[in-house]
Amino acid sequence: MSALSNIILVAMGILLTLASLWYGQNHHLLPESAAESAPLFDSLFNSTITIATGIFLVVQGVLLYCIVRYRKRRSDQGDGDPSHGNVLLEIVWTAVPAVIILWLGLASLDVYQAIYGGADVGGHIHAAMAMESSHEAEAGDPGYAYTPVVLPGKEMGQPDLVVQVQGMQYAWMFTYPDSGLVASELHLPLNKRVRLDMTALDVNHAFWVPQFRLKQDVIPGRETHLEFVPTQLGQYPIICAELCGPYHGVMAGQLFVDTPEVFEQWQKEQVLAARPEDKAVALASESQPSSAFAKAYQQRLGISPSELTSLRLHSGSLPSAG
């Protein structure tokens, strides 16, 4: 190779590297990040896209070069030169993918250990999983894996909120054990550690929130778990990522991340709506004047706000809103 050819090759390599790095950080293929652990997944995904972009550009560049450089000329009526392979080239295109796959595997392990709380915590989890699976195998149970997701750098402890999730054809149901509330929407408080205890009533489902970068199987007769911290206010889709029947495509839910104050108000109003009207009157009287739910009950029962206040002050038999 001449010096000019070497310079051109190095320049092309630099441009290819810069292009891959730029696209790896500016692909816009992922939705917004709304959970504390999501940036770890995003970093791994960006690295994968960077490598894939570089490989794509190299392969397509070599292909285009060969199409132009070795095209058949108009006056050429003979056969192409025989080729018996190139040992060095075969070693290179075997070794380079092997190194890339090994690196991605190690990077994935780092993310796995960070999400699952580190090697020590992960070891205890998998030891428990192995024991549980062995007992279930003896009992004839297939032993589906228990796979909780723990926040980076935190041990498995008591979360701020526990929600029981049930998947069924073709809907999601959410139960809040602390209040007894059952809802078709999942509301979570901002920046609070949440654990979802999930099971299915009929067939296998999968709970997936793309903005949280979390996906977990939901299995009949078993309980699987997700644990995370929502970090962005908003409304996010809940998608079933497991083919669960002919209407699988319509099995969708909504997840709302609210401020703690809004979450408590929502939960209180939902509990209020599920109670008998005599209790609802007492609860509505304790609500803020701006509560649309309280006003609706006042209008429905034909009681003015002053009457509600008087009723509450002079009747010690009415239950409190606590």
Side-chain angles (χ1 to χ4, degrees):
M1 267 190 175
S2 65
L4 179 60
S5 298
N6 289 332
I7 293 174
I8 293 175
L9 189 61
V10 171
M12 291 177 61
I14 293 174
L15 289 175
L16 184 148
T17 301
L18 293 176
S20 301
L21 290 172
W22 179 86
Y23 186 72
Q25 301 298 322
N26 298 276
H27 51 76
H28 304 299
L29 296 175
L30 295 174
E32 62 179 315
S33 171
E36 187 177 79
S37 56
L40 293 173
F41 293 100
D42 292 354
S43 177
L44 180 60
F45 185 82
N46 291 344
S47 298
T48 305
I49 289 294
T50 298
I51 295 172
T53 301
I55 294 174
F56 175 81
L57 293 177
V58 169
V59 171
Q60 297 304 313
V62 171
L63 181 62
L64 292 175
Y65 172 80
C66 293
I67 289 175
V68 175
R69 175 68 176 80
Y70 300 104
R71 69 188 185 278
K72 182 178 180 180
R73 312 293 178 176
R74 289 181 180 273
S75 59
D76 186 2
Q77 301 298 325
D79 295 330
D81 295 334
S83 176
H84 300 285
N86 186 311
V87 175
L88 178 61
L89 183 60
E90 292 175 2
I91 291 175
V92 170
W93 73 37
T94 301
V96 171
V99 171
I100 292 173
I101 291 173
L102 177 61
W103 183 87
L104 287 174
L106 293 174
S108 300
L109 180 61
D110 287 341
V111 172
Y112 178 88
Q113 290 181 337
I115 295 298
Y116 282 75
D120 293 338
V121 176
H124 292 305
I125 292 174
H126 290 293
M129 287 168 56
M131 293 177 62
E132 181 182 357
S133 297
S134 64
H135 293 312
E136 288 161 352
E138 294 174 0
D141 192 284
Y144 294 101
Y146 169 79
T147 51
V149 175
V150 184
L151 299 176
K154 296 184 180 180
E155 296 182 355
M156 294 185 65
Q158 187 64 29
D160 298 310
L161 176 68
V162 176
V163 182
Q164 296 172 352
V165 180
Q166 288 184 319
M168 66 194 78
Q169 295 174 316
Y170 301 92
W172 299 99
M173 293 298 294
F174 308 100
T175 302
Y176 296 78
D178 291 342
S179 62
L181 172 63
V182 179
S184 59
E185 299 176 344
L186 179 58
H187 285 250
L188 302 175
L190 180 69
N191 294 325
K192 297 294 184 180
R193 186 177 171 194
V194 178
R195 188 181 79 223
L196 304 182
D197 298 336
M198 303 185 293
T199 188
L201 300 182
D202 36 43
V203 299
N204 286 0
H205 301 279
F207 184 93
W208 179 34
V209 182
Q211 288 79 3
F212 290 1
R213 315 291 191 262
L214 296 176
K215 184 190 296 183
Q216 180 59 275
D217 288 340
V218 183
I219 303 165
R222 302 291 308 209
E223 189 173 84
T224 54
H225 306 264
L226 283 177
E227 198 161 324
F228 55 91
V229 172
T231 57
Q232 294 289 335
L233 296 173
Q235 177 180 347
Y236 307 102
I238 300 172
I239 301 171
C240 179
E242 187 85 23
L243 182 60
C244 58
Y247 299 101
H248 160 73
V250 302
M251 184 171 174
Q254 295 297 323
L255 186 154
F256 297 85
V257 179
D258 306 321
T259 62
E261 297 77 16
V262 172
F263 171 76
E264 290 299 332
Q265 180 65 22
W266 171 83
Q267 190 169 218
K268 182 178 179 180
E269 291 178 350
Q270 294 301 310
V271 171
L272 170 65
R275 293 183 178 180
E277 289 186 356
D278 59 338
K279 294 184 179 180
V281 172
L283 288 173
S285 67
E286 290 193 354
S287 301
Q288 296 295 329
S290 59
S291 171
F293 203 86
K295 292 178 180 178
Y297 258 94
Q298 292 165 11
Q299 293 174 359
R300 178 181 175 185
L301 300 177
I303 302 175
S304 67
S306 59
E307 290 173 331
L308 279 173
T309 302
S310 176
L311 180 63
R312 183 173 184 275
L313 290 175
H314 296 285
S315 176
S317 61
L318 288 175
S320 65

